[in-house]
Amino acid sequence: MNVAGKPSPPPGQPDRPDSLLVPTWIKTGIALLYDEISGNAYEIRLKLTKEVLTIQKQDVICVSGSDHSSNHRTVKLHRQPVGGLGLSIKGGAEHKVPVVISKIFKDQAADQSGMLFIGDAVIQVNGISVEGATHEEVVHLLRNAGDEVTITVQYLREAPSFLNMCIFSGSPGPSSDHSSGASSPLFDSGLHLNGNSTNTAPSSPSSPIANEPKYEKRWLDTLSVPLSMARISRYKAGTNKLRSNAFEVLALDGVSTGILQYCTAQESADWLRALSTNISDLTLQNMKMANKCCSSSDQVIHMGWVNERLQGADSPQLYKCKFLALKGSSFYIFSTPPVSTLDWVRAEKIYNLCEVLFKVHKLWLNDDCWLQANLYLGIHQDYELEDQRPYCFSVVVGHCKSHYFNVELGSELAVWEKSFQKAIFLDVQRTGSKTYTCSWQGESLCFTLDFALGFTCFDSKTKNVLWRFKFSQLKGSSDDGKTRVKLLFQNTETKQIETKELEFQDLTAVLNCIHSFIAAKVASVDPLFIEGQSIARKYTYSN
């Protein structure tokens, strides 16, 4: 939602919101709001609470007296023998930007007026419009305007980046004395010199008349982005190009902060972690609320935003945002988050958890080191990982199909890894057993996975058990990648290997289910073993 016109207090004074509930600012800081199309950027202030990210822009507001000039301010400056007008300017029509006051020198004419501020665009000089003037034209006009100069200005809230670069970096940009040479619109043209004044007597200080309005530069709230179900994107739209020290926050309703550009990589990472933590905490609250309406066997284990890689190399947009959820015995893929009970049946895809296989594919340990790994043994499927996105995982589903995902942070990958393990193990323990129809040499059979008993094969008509083995007796397997699998079991008495061949309509789902049952069995016996196999958590947190 837009919150326009709400000023922040002067520096040094606490916020005084209208509400009795005073917001707790977790983090505040300065950034640039960057337009990737035009290349322009301007300074903003960010204020973060547990639930909202607020963007503020600076503006000059009237704090006392009557202001009848809309956003324009007119002030008379008396050129001083030492210091001149006491200001410097940047910009010009040749760069398609207005001329802007870039410096105001303390205790000199512009500063004493109390009505001029860094960032003011010069509109008129002695009644002459300069809105379409070049930098050199405005410099010449100001230097030759006489001892008393009337300037009309308007604060430029969205100044091009080179005009406020010195503010953003915390130190003034390069300046030079252009009294004897050409001026550059990229640098300050100092008008604190005497110019062409013939008056050698001290001038009275420039100051507003007693009944004139008084102005202050303040930060104003311009946009508040709710973080519940929000997502973060570090990539340029439609590409795999990672933004440098920048990202975008998008609310559930589609409202965007725009591209938030930071001065350093460390500052960008700090804000990224802070926002991600708050979004995760709010997601956890939403999960708890949803679980109050669900049975104990249908609880939400985890949910959140990911980027799914689109099928086909010809697609101009390689990834598309998806919302994943692990709930009860199902794995859900949504285009938008479920916000009501009815939304759960509107998922794009729904899979049985015990029939999917989670794989970590890529971790970004540092700038020079990549780790590619498959977390689990089982079906191997090659992926062309020519893109440079880190923190990737896939979910193998039935009929040899897979979904390939990417997340923004290594910590998110670790959470998804752990959540899939937990959700699958719980589903296996709740289900207890799973039976599939199969065949071999023309005979119709049934193949059962039982958490307590292991593997059982029986005749589908007579129900007679043909063979049975424990999970621990499985010593290997192979398949043709289509329908047929060979299972190698060790006979406990003879110690010989027995081969059992079966054909399934959906071999991928069966192999995934075998893996889920065995992994859940191992976890029930030795939980630390599964923890030790956690690639994402091991490498992400250690780095």
Side-chain angles (χ1 to χ4, degrees):
M1 61 180 285
N2 288 318
V3 185
K6 180 181 177 183
S8 292
Q13 295 186 19
D15 287 337
R16 297 182 183 276
D18 297 332
S19 171
L20 294 178
L21 297 177
V22 180
T24 302
W25 304 113
I26 298 174
K27 190 175 180 65
T28 61
I30 300 296
L32 286 181
L33 192 58
Y34 178 67
D35 186 335
E36 289 182 325
I37 298 176
S38 67
N40 290 333
Y42 52 90
E43 188 183 37
I44 58 172
R45 184 166 76 166
L46 302 176
K47 302 180 77 174
L48 178 64
T49 67
K50 282 289 187 182
E51 299 180 345
V52 175
L53 175 64
T54 299
I55 294 179
Q56 295 182 316
K57 298 178 183 178
Q58 277 189 319
D59 204 351
V60 174
I61 63 171
C62 180
V63 294
S64 66
S66 300
D67 183 5
H68 303 291
S69 59
S70 183
N71 293 326
H72 290 187
R73 284 166 280 121
T74 300
V75 59
K76 290 183 180 180
L77 298 179
H78 298 281
R79 193 186 305 273
Q80 298 178 355
V82 178
L85 299 179
L87 56 85
S88 294
I89 61 173
K90 282 184 179 181
E94 63 268 45
H95 280 265
K96 299 181 181 180
V97 294
V99 172
V100 175
I101 296 176
S102 57
K103 290 183 184 179
I104 292 178
F105 296 89
K106 186 174 178 60
D107 296 329
Q108 296 186 17
D111 183 45
Q112 291 173 353
S113 74
M115 294 182 65
L116 295 177
F117 301 88
I118 295 175
D120 278 340
V122 181
I123 306 299
Q124 292 182 350
V125 176
N126 286 345
I128 301 174
S129 175
V130 295
E131 290 188 85
T134 65
H135 182 84
E136 190 64 34
E137 288 171 344
V138 177
V139 171
H140 179 77
L141 184 59
L142 286 169
R143 289 188 184 280
N144 295 276
D147 295 330
E148 186 175 271
V149 183
T150 302
I151 300 179
T152 300
V153 298
Q154 179 182 10
Y155 187 72
L156 192 64
R157 296 177 67 185
E158 300 181 2
S161 57
F162 75 80
L163 295 179
N164 57 25
M165 194 173 297
C166 61
I167 304 172
F168 182 68
S169 63
S171 60
S175 61
S176 58
D177 181 1
H178 299 282
S179 59
S180 60
S183 301
S184 168
L186 298 178
F187 300 110
D188 297 303
S189 290
L191 297 167
H192 53 287
L193 304 176
N194 289 337
N196 295 334
S197 173
T198 58
N199 184 4
T200 58
S203 301
S204 58
S206 303
S207 59
I209 304 174
N211 61 351
E212 284 187 345
K214 293 183 179 181
Y215 297 88
E216 288 183 3
K217 184 191 287 189
R218 292 187 182 181
W219 289 102
L220 306 180
D221 292 353
T222 58
L223 180 68
S224 291
V225 179
L227 298 179
S228 179
M229 298 293 192
R231 63 184 177 89
I232 300 173
S233 175
R234 296 191 295 157
Y235 293 88
K236 294 182 179 180
T239 73
N240 283 328
K241 294 182 179 179
L242 191 68
R243 296 186 178 105
S244 177
N245 303 340
F247 57 82
E248 179 182 13
V249 182
L250 298 101
L252 178 60
D253 59 2
V255 172
S256 169
T257 59
I259 310 304
L260 305 178
Q261 180 82 46
Y262 297 89
C263 188
T264 65
Q266 183 61 53
E267 190 176 8
S268 175
D270 289 344
W271 273 98
L272 190 63
R273 280 192 291 267
L275 285 163
S276 178
T277 298
N278 286 16
I279 292 173
S280 297
D281 290 345
L282 292 171
T283 300
L284 184 59
Q285 292 181 18
N286 291 329
M287 287 168 46
K288 290 180 178 179
M289 292 295 295
N291 285 339
K292 290 182 179 180
C293 304
C294 302
S295 64
S296 58
S297 62
D298 198 30
Q299 297 285 293
V300 180
I301 302 300
H302 186 59
M303 60 184 184
W305 286 102
V306 299
N307 303 303
E308 181 177 15
R309 185 170 181 176
L310 301 181
Q311 299 294 327
D314 296 333
S315 177
Q317 184 176 348
L318 298 179
Y319 283 82
K320 188 174 183 180
C321 294
K322 298 291 183 180
F323 192 86
L324 307 185
L326 306 176
K327 181 175 183 287
S329 60
S330 300
F331 165 49
Y332 295 82
I333 302 178
F334 296 91
S335 58
T336 58
V339 294
S340 68
T341 305
L342 295 177
D343 289 340
W344 287 95
V345 298
R346 299 170 184 165
E348 292 182 351
K349 300 286 184 179
I350 304 176
Y351 300 102
N352 291 328
L353 269 172
C354 65
E355 294 180 345
V356 304
L357 182 67
F358 178 92
K359 289 184 177 182
V360 173
H361 281 281
K362 188 181 286 187
L363 287 174
W364 202 354
L365 302 185
N366 53 55
D367 292 339
D368 303 317
C369 179
W370 288 86
L371 170 69
Q372 299 184 34
N374 290 329
L375 176 60
Y376 293 131
L377 299 177
I379 301 173
H380 177 74
Q381 185 166 346
D382 292 327
Y383 288 88
E384 295 181 0
L385 300 176
E386 69 276 3
D387 64 80
Q388 294 299 305
R389 292 199 176 198
Y391 314 130
C392 298
F393 68 92
S394 68
V395 179
V396 182
V397 296
H399 299 287
C400 296
K401 296 181 179 179
S402 295
H403 295 272
Y404 188 81
F405 302 106
N406 151 261
V407 289
E408 300 290 338
L409 297 173
S411 57
E412 293 178 319
L413 179 58
V415 171
W416 277 113
E417 179 190 32
K418 183 177 181 179
S419 299
F420 263 94
Q421 287 180 351
K422 179 180 179 181
I424 291 173
F425 294 170
L426 288 174
D427 183 37
V428 169
Q429 292 172 0
R430 282 192 304 264
T431 303
S433 66
K434 189 81 172 177
T435 299
Y436 296 92
T437 58
C438 60
S439 62
W440 180 245
Q441 296 180 342
E443 295 185 18
S444 179
L445 307 174
C446 289
F447 176 74
T448 297
L449 295 167
D450 189 280
F451 189 68
L453 300 177
F455 303 94
T456 302
C457 184
F458 58 91
D459 188 285
S460 61
K461 296 179 180 179
T462 64
K463 308 302 179 184
N464 291 331
V465 175
L466 303 178
W467 48 265
R468 175 177 288 142
F469 295 96
K470 296 179 180 180
F471 289 121
S472 59
Q473 291 179 265
L474 180 65
K475 300 304 178 182
S477 67
S478 63
D479 63 85
D480 63 359
K482 298 177 181 179
T483 61
R484 185 175 299 182
V485 63
K486 291 183 180 180
L487 301 175
L488 308 179
F489 298 100
Q490 185 178 49
N491 188 301
T492 55
E493 296 179 356
T494 65
K495 306 300 180 180
Q496 298 296 312
I497 297 297
E498 299 183 18
T499 301
K500 305 297 180 182
E501 297 188 36
L502 298 171
E503 290 189 35
F504 296 90
Q505 186 175 5
D506 186 357
L507 178 61
T508 307
V510 175
L511 294 179
N512 289 349
C513 193
I514 291 174
H515 174 271
S516 296
F517 270 74
I518 292 178
K521 191 69 174 179
V522 173
S524 66
V525 176
D526 185 6
L528 294 180
F529 173 79
I530 298 298
E531 289 290 328
Q533 302 303 303
S534 175
I535 292 179
R537 274 171 283 168
K538 178 180 179 181
Y539 285 95
T540 299
Y541 292 141
S542 66
N543 286 273

